[in-house]
Amino acid sequence: MKEEQAECGRLPSLLHEIGLELEKYQRFEHADALEKASIWRSALDRPLPEKGIGIDELKKEIAEILIPNGSQIPRAGCTSYITTGATTSSVLATLTASVASPQRIGLTAFNYLEELSLDWMAHMFELPSNMKGVYSSGGSVANIVAIGAARQWAFEQIGLDPSRDGIVKATRIYATDATHHTIQRAAAVLGLGRRSVQIVASDSMGRMLPEVLHKQIEADKSTGIVPVAVVGNAGTTSTGAIDKLAELGSVAKDQGIWFHIDGAYGLPGILDSRVRDLYKGLDMADSIIVDPHKWLGAPVGIGATYVRDRSILHRAFTQEVSDYLEGSLTHTQAQHSMDELGIPYFDFGVELSAPARGTVVWAIIREIGKNGLKERICRHNSMARMVAEAACAHPNLELVQEPTLSICCFRYVDERCTDLNQLNRDIHRRLVHNGTNIPSTAMVAGKLAIRPCFIGARTTWQHAQALVDEVLKVGKELVEENQK
Ligand SMILES: Cc1ncc(COP(=O)(O)O)c(C=O)c1O
């Protein structure tokens, strides 16, 4: 059959069949992917096919070889890292946009949602009313875009254009050792160098000490270094701590430095009234990032950067005028969806071609509303608190750090064990291999902690309780095994 004909009419039945397989996958009744690795590897490991297998055989391979050997991350009991399975509405929106709006350009309903959804998030997370956003692939790129804006601003203050002419002076970015290392990479990508990231001392919760920050900036300025940004965290990756944003913002403002807030994970936490006050100082930020593919439950590939004035993004990321497209858009009054490119997001960041991610964020918010998200966030924060209470109450558990948001760092303790870090590392490995409750670990002030991060839409109180129970069971087993 000709390709043009084969492409028509098959989508509904194929989607239905794949949908059933994905639904089955989410019940996690199958073995872990690694158990049958030799089987699926040999099934996939073929030479470049000269002749295609056709859509029906392909669907069979997707259903039989790929789906049952997927990731544990969508599992409700998987609380590792800060990552989760996509919710149904977001999967639907991703699929729909990939078919009907494969780019975010043109005047279409999908592309209208790009700005609308960014504005909805800004409103929901109480960002300053003049902040405008741009989507990218996730926190890594969102941080590059934000630090790119900071770099542009810092150099413009001294009459230079770093995106046009490059970097001619040593620079500094101020962060803590709890700051996500994508800030270091952003510094590298933007030509500032990873070494330009100055680690500022923090308190026992991992929050930057404003007085130390102040002294460090003064010292750097006296040597001619250009301060580019102060980076505050609204939810660190290891523990979920929130910097004293208002205090850091004041130092940054007094010193005339760009104030960036990394809220990739934790910004949605502002919806929980119990912690809302910790976000005071958001209004002082020059840039803020948030990742819908974290707490909002979007499929991986969606981050957002907000700045006060998107013209700085344009100056920082413009590709400058090209010959290959300019001639095609001569209309002043749009009469067709392809007459206008719409908002030039492609000049506000590092991507030209990009999916219509706003559709996904719109679908998530439209489905459950601000109240639904608030309920999810409060539930997850409460689950972390519940684990903390359990850790405080049980003689074989220790709370390593009080939770701020939905991360709880705790560990198993037993006086018969001399190396608690190793014991907790072993507990963690056994939990992963058992495969029901899968947290991460984090080093907190020298203690290796078991670290669940509750963000999954399908994760329930029972999963939090089951994790605590399993840590206790496995800890006891391991200590007894080591005694033999
Ligand atoms: C606070 C923070 N910032 C940035 C990132 C990077 O995000 P991404 O993995 O989406 O690139 C993460 C990832 O966990 C994070 O926790």
Side-chain angles (χ1 to χ4, degrees):
M1 201 196 303
K2 283 186 177 165
E3 185 180 33
E4 309 87 281
Q5 287 159 1
E7 274 297 312
C8 295
R10 297 299 318 278
L11 206 51
S13 65
L14 290 170
L15 289 184
H16 178 70
E17 288 167 50
I18 290 296
L20 291 176
E21 295 297 332
L22 288 170
E23 192 67 29
K24 188 161 114 202
Y25 178 77
Q26 285 181 334
R27 292 198 293 275
F28 283 89
E29 287 157 358
H30 50 274
D32 178 68
L34 219 53
E35 270 184 45
K36 294 192 195 147
S38 59
I39 300 174
W40 54 258
R41 271 201 193 120
S42 63
L44 295 172
D45 191 12
R46 295 170 185 275
L48 170 72
E50 292 293 332
K51 195 171 175 304
I53 55 174
I55 193 76
D56 290 307
E57 278 306 302
L58 176 70
K59 185 215 70 196
K60 210 158 160 264
E61 288 197 359
I62 292 174
E64 292 173 10
I65 306 174
L66 294 189
I67 295 177
N69 295 302
S71 168
Q72 294 282 341
I73 285 170
R75 194 182 194 120
C78 182
T79 54
S80 306
Y81 313 112
I82 306 184
T83 191
T84 184
T87 60
T88 306
S89 63
S90 69
V91 170
L92 213 59
T94 304
L95 179 79
T96 309
S98 71
V99 174
S101 187
Q103 290 278 0
R104 57 184 166 174
I105 53 171
L107 296 179
T108 69
F110 288 88
N111 296 339
Y112 186 73
L113 298 179
E114 203 81 353
E115 192 75 346
L116 184 74
S117 63
L118 283 162
D119 288 347
W120 277 4
M121 279 204 294
H123 190 66
M124 182 160 66
F125 302 144
E126 303 185 38
L127 303 192
S129 57
N130 57 351
M131 274 199 147
K132 286 284 183 188
V134 59
Y135 285 116
S136 60
S137 63
S140 306
V141 177
N143 271 332
I144 291 175
V145 172
I147 300 299
R151 180 189 73 162
Q152 190 68 22
W153 190 83
F155 278 88
E156 284 180 0
Q157 302 312 299
I158 49 173
L160 300 171
D161 183 344
S163 68
R164 189 191 57 197
D165 302 323
I167 303 299
V168 290
K169 281 175 164 282
T171 57
R172 216 40 118 226
I173 293 171
Y174 302 92
T176 63
D177 56 6
T179 301
H180 200 273
H181 284 191
T182 48
I183 292 293
Q184 258 94 325
R185 187 167 50 206
V189 169
L190 291 160
L192 311 176
R194 287 192 298 278
R195 294 290 172 272
S196 71
V197 179
Q198 173 69 46
I199 300 302
V200 179
S202 45
D203 65 13
S204 60
M205 292 282 286
R207 297 172 301 192
M208 191 186 287
L209 293 169
E211 57 285 4
V212 180
L213 170 67
H214 180 264
K215 278 194 198 135
Q216 182 69 49
I217 296 172
E218 295 271 313
D220 288 342
K221 277 185 168 173
S222 70
T223 64
I225 285 174
V226 179
V228 164
V230 171
V231 180
N233 290 301
T236 60
T237 312
S238 286
T239 68
I242 299 177
D243 273 313
K244 293 173 182 167
L245 301 174
E247 291 182 42
L248 298 190
S250 294
V251 176
K253 293 299 127 193
D254 288 350
Q255 296 284 340
I257 304 177
W258 186 275
F259 182 35
H260 171 58
I261 296 180
D262 185 339
Y265 152 58
L267 187 63
I270 198 170
L271 293 175
D272 184 341
S273 56
R274 294 169 296 182
V275 290
R276 184 167 172 271
D277 279 354
L278 299 177
Y279 293 81
K280 275 192 185 137
L282 269 190
D283 56 336
M284 301 171 95
D286 296 294
S287 55
I288 301 180
I289 71 157
V290 63
D291 272 356
H293 69 201
K294 293 188 165 65
W295 230 337
L296 267 62
V300 156
I302 313 186
T305 307
Y306 288 87
V307 291
R308 288 182 183 279
D309 173 8
R310 275 192 304 211
S311 71
I312 196 155
L313 291 182
H314 190 270
R315 296 199 296 284
F317 293 105
T318 180
Q319 306 158 85
E320 299 197 349
V321 200
S322 65
D323 286 337
Y324 48 80
L325 263 187
E326 258 47 55
S328 66
L329 292 172
T330 51
H331 300 260
T332 47
Q333 195 89 48
Q335 293 178 353
H336 184 278
S337 66
M338 298 293 281
D339 277 349
E340 256 237 35
L341 294 179
I343 297 170
Y345 297 110
F346 48 84
D347 263 347
F348 292 161
V350 295
E351 297 169 308
L352 175 55
S353 292
R357 300 177 175 106
T359 308
V360 182
V361 174
W362 167 83
I364 291 168
I365 302 174
R366 190 87 178 109
E367 183 204 3
I368 64 171
K370 179 179 166 188
N371 287 346
L373 267 175
K374 187 180 160 119
E375 189 282 324
R376 181 190 298 167
I377 277 139
C378 292
R379 169 166 51 96
H380 288 151
N381 286 349
S382 296
M383 281 155 61
R385 289 167 186 217
M386 186 198 92
V387 173
E389 278 166 26
C392 290
H394 198 284
N396 286 111
L397 295 178
E398 177 189 320
L399 181 61
V400 173
Q401 191 171 109
E402 197 74 49
T404 304
L405 298 171
S406 68
I407 293 174
C408 182
C409 291
F410 70 108
R411 65 177 184 166
Y412 187 84
V413 290
D414 188 302
E415 59 194 15
R416 290 171 292 174
C417 175
T418 50
D419 186 349
L420 288 174
N421 282 356
Q422 190 55 46
L423 175 63
N424 281 279
R425 199 172 284 121
D426 293 342
I427 292 172
H428 177 253
R429 289 330 297 165
R430 196 164 285 187
L431 292 180
V432 170
H433 290 159
N434 289 349
T436 306
N437 303 296
I438 309 178
S440 289
T441 57
M443 272 309 241
V444 183
K447 294 180 180 177
L448 187 124
I450 306 287
R451 173 203 164 278
C453 172
F454 301 106
I455 57 165
R458 300 177 188 92
T459 307
T460 65
W461 295 90
Q462 285 74 24
H463 295 103
Q465 186 58 54
L467 170 66
V468 173
D469 293 344
E470 195 178 357
V471 168
L472 283 168
K473 179 171 167 290
V474 171
K476 185 165 181 283
E477 270 167 25
L478 282 168
V479 172
E480 285 170 4
E481 280 170 28
N482 290 339
Q483 296 292 302
K484 283 181 192 157

